[in-house]
Amino acid sequence: MPVIAITREMGSLGKDVAAGLGEELDVPVIYHEVIDHLADRMRVRKSHVVKLLDGKAGLLERLTADQTSLFIHSADEIIGKTLEGQGAVIRGWGATHLLRDIPHVVTVRVCAPLETRRKRMCERLNTSDVAQVAEEIHRNDEAHTAIVKRHYGLQWTDPEHYDLVLNTERVSVDECVEEVLSIVRSPKFAETAASRSKLEDLALSAHVWAALRRAQETRETRATLTSSAGVVTVSGCGTDEMLKIVEVAIAVPGVRDVKYKPRESDDLRPAFH
C-alpha cells in the first residue's frame, strides 16, 4: 500500500492536499493520532506537544520540554504507522526526512509564496490583522526550521530533499493530488521485499532508541546504532555504557543480537539523527 510523507508551510494548503490523497487512495491521513500517543508516552498535555511543534511554546515550556524524547518517540510512532502496511499519508512530524531513504515512500513538500500564505490565512481566520498573521506564519516557519536543523542537520526548504515540490500558488489542490498520484503509481515507488526490509530495519532502530530513552540508565546515551535483520550494532560509547545498552536493547521485541563496534573504529551513523 502507498505511503506518502508530506511537509507543508502554514497557508500552503498542504492539509488539503493530504486530505485529497487520503480520500483518493482510501488510506488514513496521520497527524493528530501521533499527538495523542506522544502526550501519553511523555506524560504531558496534548496542548504542550502542539505548542512545541508550532513554535508557540512559552519560555518555561521550552525550557522544561524534553525535545529529544519528543523526537525519538515521534519517530518511533511514525515508522510504526508506516510499517503497519495499510498505507498512509503522513503529514508533518519530520516524516519526509525520517523516511526519505525508504524507496517506496513518496516524499512531498507543499509550499506557496509568503504573500499568498498571508492572504489565505487572513481569509481562513476571518481577520484583517495582517501583522498578527504574518507573525504567526513566521513563528511556525522558524519552529519547523529549527526542529529539522536540530535533528536532521538540513534546511527543510531545499528541494533536493523531496521527490516532489508543489507550489499551490500555481497548481491547484486537485492538480497537486494528481501529480502525487502519478508518482505513487510509478513502478519506481512500488514496495519490494528489499524496501520493506529497509523499513523494518529503521523501525527496529527506532524501537531500540525509544527503549533506551525510557530506561533511566541509558536515557542520556550519545551512542549511535544501526540495525539489520534483527542485529543491532552499537558504536560511539565505552564498554561500561555498552553493557547497559545491551541489557535494554536485547529486551526489545525483534532484536536477535546486539554487537559492539569499538569507539576507535567508529564509522557508523545512526539510523535517524
Side-chain angles (χ1 to χ4, degrees):
M1 294 293 287
V3 177
I4 303 164
I6 293 181
T7 190
R8 53 95 192 178
E9 298 167 329
M10 179 179 284
S12 68
L13 304 181
K15 289 182 182 179
D16 303 87
V17 174
L21 286 166
E23 185 176 342
E24 285 290 329
L25 294 167
D26 193 25
V27 298
V29 178
I30 296 171
Y31 180 72
H32 291 291
E33 299 87 343
V34 178
I35 294 176
D36 294 340
H37 293 161
L38 274 181
D40 289 341
R41 279 193 178 198
M42 297 178 66
R43 298 178 182 177
V44 298
R45 296 187 304 273
K46 287 186 281 188
S47 60
H48 194 164
V49 176
V50 173
K51 285 180 180 180
L52 286 169
L53 294 172
D54 290 344
K56 297 178 183 177
L59 178 60
L60 181 60
E61 289 172 311
R62 293 197 304 274
L63 289 175
T64 58
D66 184 351
Q67 298 204 33
T68 300
S69 289
L70 178 64
F71 168 70
I72 289 174
H73 291 310
S74 64
D76 192 22
E77 288 283 342
I78 289 299
I79 299 169
K81 292 288 185 184
T82 308
L83 197 59
E84 288 176 0
Q86 62 178 343
V89 178
I90 305 170
R91 180 164 62 83
W93 297 106
T96 50
H97 313 298
L98 185 64
L99 301 171
R100 62 180 173 169
D101 292 329
I102 307 302
H104 65 270
V105 175
V106 178
T107 58
V108 181
R109 179 186 171 217
V110 181
C111 61
L114 181 57
E115 186 57 38
T116 299
R117 295 194 286 141
R118 286 176 184 162
K119 191 177 301 182
R120 286 172 179 167
M121 291 306 297
C122 283
E123 292 173 356
R124 181 178 299 174
L125 298 173
N126 192 26
T127 180
S128 58
D129 192 341
V130 178
Q132 183 180 7
V133 168
E135 175 59 27
E136 182 81 3
I137 291 174
H138 176 70
R139 187 165 49 231
N140 188 269
D141 287 352
E142 277 202 332
H144 197 162
T145 298
I147 289 170
V148 175
K149 180 70 74 173
R150 181 188 307 118
H151 296 301
Y152 299 100
L154 52 84
Q155 176 57 43
W156 72 282
T157 54
D158 291 344
E160 62 264 29
H161 303 308
Y162 309 96
D163 299 312
L164 185 64
V165 177
L166 297 162
N167 177 3
T168 57
E169 182 189 44
R170 307 264 301 169
V171 185
S172 71
V173 169
D174 288 343
E175 289 169 334
C176 288
V177 169
E178 286 303 316
E179 288 292 332
V180 178
L181 289 177
S182 68
I183 293 181
V184 168
R185 291 163 180 158
S186 166
K188 291 182 179 180
F189 289 89
E191 182 177 329
T192 64
S195 70
R196 177 75 179 182
S197 176
K198 194 165 187 176
L199 178 59
E200 289 171 350
D201 289 340
L202 184 63
L204 187 58
S205 293
H207 294 336
V208 172
W209 269 116
L212 293 175
R213 192 66 183 177
R214 286 192 298 270
Q216 190 62 39
E217 64 272 23
T218 56
R219 66 177 285 107
E220 300 300 330
T221 184
R222 293 293 183 267
T224 62
L225 64 87
T226 58
S227 65
S228 177
V231 178
V232 175
T233 302
V234 182
S235 63
C237 63
T239 304
D240 291 343
E241 184 179 5
M242 177 61 190
L243 292 175
K244 295 176 182 177
I245 291 173
V246 169
E247 185 176 353
V248 174
I250 203 67
V252 175
V255 174
R256 296 190 296 105
D257 193 13
V258 182
K259 295 185 177 180
Y260 177 45
K261 191 163 189 177
R263 192 192 304 272
E264 56 269 23
S265 61
D266 176 22
D267 62 357
L268 291 176
R269 294 293 180 269
F272 53 91
H273 306 283

